[in-house]
Amino acid sequence: MDAWSRLADTFLNWKYIAEVVPTMLSYGLLNTLVLAVCSAAIGMVLGIVLALMGISRNPVPRWIARIYTDIFRGLPAVLVILVIGLGFGPIFKDLTGLSSPYPLAIIALGLMAAAYTGEIFRSGIQSVDKGQLEAARALGFGYGPSMRSIVVPQGIRRVLPALMNQFIALIKDSSLVFTLGLMTRERELFQIGQDFASNNGNLSTLVAAAIFYLVLTIPLTHLVNYLDNRLRTGKAQKAEPDEAAAVIGKGSHA
Amino acid sequence: MSQFESGSLTGKNLHLAFGSNKVLRGIDLHVEKGTAASVIGPSGSGKSTLLRVMNRLIEPDQGDILLDGRSVLKDSPDELRRRIGMVFQQFNLFPHKTVGENVAFALRRLRKLSRDEAWTEALAQLDKVGLKHKAEVRPATLSGGQQQRVAIARALAMQPEVMFFDEATSALDPELVKGVLALMTDLAKEGMTMVVVTHEMGFSRNVSNQVVFMDGGVVVENGSPDQLFTDPQTDRLKTFLSDVL
């Protein structure tokens, strides 16, 4: 009985939760979203470039994309964030006059996202039937325009669920920027929860952070499932008269 | 009565190898303007590859290609392919575009028609294959036969001088073959220069006016349907005909 109330106090102390929620709402949530959305944007743009390099007929870009992908997929996220955030801090400050590592954190997350996104795009583009490229070329489109207007759009459509998953991963990985020691106003959900937790000697504020994350990620997960289902089965289709006839025809042969 | 600006097509001594695999070993083929030539032969004989070499989807290792008597190897291959329409076994319609957009797309981008002109022209082409009413739907909602008719409309919309058909009915259910063959027959009668790779011996014999028998990457016999079907000269053609007829 005593153990239950102790646990409840440790994880669900409403006083501490009530204290942290306004802070999370005023900038923590925003920072998490800014980190995730901006790094996702970098990841998408760089990812599509990597994917196109990866399927190039020229081996040089293909190898560059390969090496980049292997490095950024092979390293722990926290290590990349620290190395880029701290290591490039001074140069970044000389170049831009900004002393905050916040933009560098976005870049670090974006560079890692690009490695994963690039592989997602590449697999999508390569999964498009080669008859599509052939048909576009047979009409008189060059290789580039055929890829751009026919093959790549189909490939991207197919990997939308995987891309959403990547975005969910970014929302969670954005918590790792706490290692850079950001200014108060730059802190995101996890670090705010963590700061309050160590000040109060109570984990309830981390539970509050957890709930914020779940409110973001669970609907997105279900959106992924919905997209996945719709892409796989398509919208309900009306059978064509001669398709119906074909079915009847087949039956009559049997 | 020809309604097409069709041209003659000639392949001279065409060679192609993939590594050590010699697919074409010196093909000579002339298809006169307004002629429907069917190309028959066992699978693996290089028929489909020959089509792809003659519109330079695959560049030949050696040989020359003439359209209307003029060599086209120095021209841009994209330019050549605009002049030769191609229809595939698997239709290869663009699934992310509507039926109408499938036809209109190249008109807009390659023939540089305005959006409205391209759409009007696409509808006219679809009307010819009896599918104008399907312009707004996606290809996936159509039957195989309908999809292939759209693919034919898409190729014809570019006003090609020659049409290639690569086993255009092989992927269709038997009940749907007839409609596509009827369309191809009309085209042949209207004077389109056609090269038709086919397993439909009925089409080859009754509709085409030239039959080309290929085996092992060479043209073994070439002549009128009567010559090849009733009086085959080589054992290879006799064997082939006894296998398929």
Side-chain angles (χ1 to χ4, degrees):
Chain A
M1 193 60 213
D2 208 33
W4 282 118
S5 62
R6 243 192 25 230
L7 276 178
D9 183 61
T10 306
F11 293 114
L12 289 171
N13 185 310
W14 298 110
K15 186 174 83 100
Y16 295 137
I17 291 178
E19 215 175 87
V20 79
V21 166
T23 312
M24 286 179 170
L25 281 175
S26 76
Y27 56 84
L29 177 63
L30 183 68
N31 280 325
T32 293
L33 288 175
V34 167
L35 287 164
V37 170
C38 293
S39 56
I42 294 174
M44 295 270 272
V45 173
L46 193 52
I48 199 98
V49 173
L50 283 169
L52 293 176
M53 286 168 73
I55 57 170
S56 164
R57 290 178 288 189
N58 182 338
V60 177
R62 222 162 52 219
W63 272 99
I64 294 172
R66 192 70 260 151
I67 291 168
Y68 178 96
T69 307
D70 284 350
I71 290 176
F72 279 93
R73 282 205 313 184
L75 292 173
V78 68
L79 189 150
V80 174
I81 291 169
L82 260 182
V83 166
I84 290 178
L86 298 181
F88 289 85
I91 302 168
F92 185 70
K93 191 180 173 185
D94 287 349
L95 287 175
T96 63
L98 296 169
S99 60
S100 164
Y102 194 87
L104 286 171
I106 289 176
I107 290 171
L109 285 168
L111 292 179
M112 279 183 291
Y116 291 96
T117 313
E119 288 292 277
I120 292 171
F121 280 138
R122 188 178 60 79
S123 70
I125 293 167
Q126 286 182 329
S127 76
V128 175
D129 183 72
K130 76 172 178 44
Q132 293 290 309
L133 177 62
E134 207 174 39
R137 303 217 62 188
L139 281 169
F141 289 97
Y143 177 79
S146 301
M147 290 299 284
R148 265 199 306 282
S149 31
I150 300 298
V151 178
V152 173
Q154 290 182 57
I156 290 178
R157 204 163 297 214
R158 246 174 246 201
V159 296
L160 278 180
L163 285 179
M164 288 301 287
N165 275 329
Q166 192 51 43
F167 183 63
I168 292 171
L170 272 175
I171 291 177
K172 296 184 290 181
D173 284 351
S174 66
S175 61
L176 293 168
V177 304
F178 83 92
T179 52
L180 294 177
L182 296 166
M183 310 271 281
T184 310
R185 280 280 173 177
E186 296 168 344
R187 297 185 175 180
E188 39 63 59
L189 292 170
F190 168 75
Q191 195 174 3
I192 293 168
Q194 167 70 13
D195 289 347
F196 277 73
S198 45
N199 284 343
N200 301 327
N202 183 290
L203 295 181
S204 303
T205 52
L206 278 174
V207 172
I211 290 167
F212 271 95
Y213 281 114
L214 292 179
V215 166
L216 292 177
T217 54
I218 289 177
L220 284 174
T221 311
H222 284 269
L223 178 63
V224 170
N225 292 343
Y226 168 78
L227 282 177
D228 202 25
N229 256 322
R230 234 194 71 167
L231 283 173
R232 213 141 19 83
T233 57
K235 276 178 269 181
Q237 288 167 9
K238 209 177 71 198
E240 287 303 316
D242 72 3
E243 204 170 32
V247 173
I248 295 162
K250 269 179 202 156
S252 68
H253 291 312
Chain B
M1 90 151 262
S2 167
Q3 32 174 292
F4 301 109
E5 293 293 322
S6 61
S8 69
L9 181 71
T10 310
K12 279 188 180 166
N13 193 29
L14 292 167
H15 283 264
L16 178 77
F18 296 121
S20 62
N21 179 20
K22 294 190 177 108
V23 186
L24 302 181
R25 307 159 177 254
I27 299 270
D28 285 297
L29 175 67
H30 177 75
V31 180
E32 199 41 64
K33 176 176 149 87
T35 301
S38 56
V39 182
I40 60 173
S43 44
S45 56
K47 308 182 297 285
S48 294
T49 309
L50 175 63
L51 290 186
R52 283 164 177 74
V53 165
M54 292 217 288
N55 71 1
R56 293 175 69 195
L57 279 172
I58 307 171
E59 295 289 346
D61 296 336
Q62 193 189 321
D64 200 1
I65 301 159
L66 292 85
L67 189 52
D68 247 349
R70 202 179 66 80
S71 172
V72 291
L73 280 186
K74 290 198 176 61
D75 301 352
S76 135
D78 299 336
E79 190 56 45
L80 171 65
R81 288 190 287 262
R82 275 168 224 180
R83 300 168 64 190
I84 301 180
M86 185 157 183
V87 176
F88 300 87
Q89 180 175 359
Q90 298 296 339
F91 330 134
N92 296 343
L93 294 180
F94 307 133
H96 60 306
K97 295 182 179 297
T98 65
V99 165
E101 285 165 349
N102 261 277
V103 182
F105 182 60
L107 297 179
R108 230 168 53 226
R109 296 278 293 272
L110 297 177
R111 273 181 58 196
K112 307 288 180 198
L113 301 187
S114 75
R115 184 169 283 273
D116 287 346
E117 286 168 344
W119 187 254
T120 310
E121 175 67 17
L123 289 182
Q125 292 292 340
L126 285 170
D127 199 24
K128 284 187 195 162
V129 300
L131 290 168
K132 187 180 174 186
H133 60 295
K134 294 290 183 187
E136 308 277 354
V137 307
R138 294 288 162 105
T141 63
L142 268 51
S143 72
Q146 291 174 325
Q147 289 192 45
Q148 194 61 297
R149 277 144 64 195
V150 173
I152 292 172
R154 178 174 72 177
L156 287 176
M158 290 298 288
Q159 301 176 336
E161 294 156 55
V162 180
M163 281 287 285
F164 286 178
F165 291 83
D166 184 16
E167 301 191 17
T169 57
S170 299
L172 297 176
D173 286 328
E175 306 80 32
L176 306 180
V177 168
K178 214 189 275 178
V180 172
L181 280 183
L183 199 54
M184 288 164 65
T185 304
D186 287 347
L187 265 182
K189 286 192 179 134
E190 287 164 14
M192 174 59 84
T193 309
M194 292 162 65
V195 184
V196 183
V197 168
T198 187
H199 294 299
E200 294 287 338
M201 291 303 138
F203 180 89
S204 180
R205 186 169 199 162
N206 302 321
V207 180
S208 61
N209 7 63
Q210 177 183 354
V211 180
V212 179
F213 172 64
M214 275 181 75
D215 192 14
V218 294
V219 172
V220 180
E221 288 195 41
N222 181 358
S224 73
D226 262 357
Q227 273 174 316
L228 267 75
F229 281 97
T230 57
D231 187 20
Q233 299 296 309
T234 57
D235 288 341
R236 281 200 274 186
L237 179 54
K238 283 176 195 160
T239 313
F240 176 74
L241 289 176
S242 69
D243 285 347
V244 296
L245 291 178

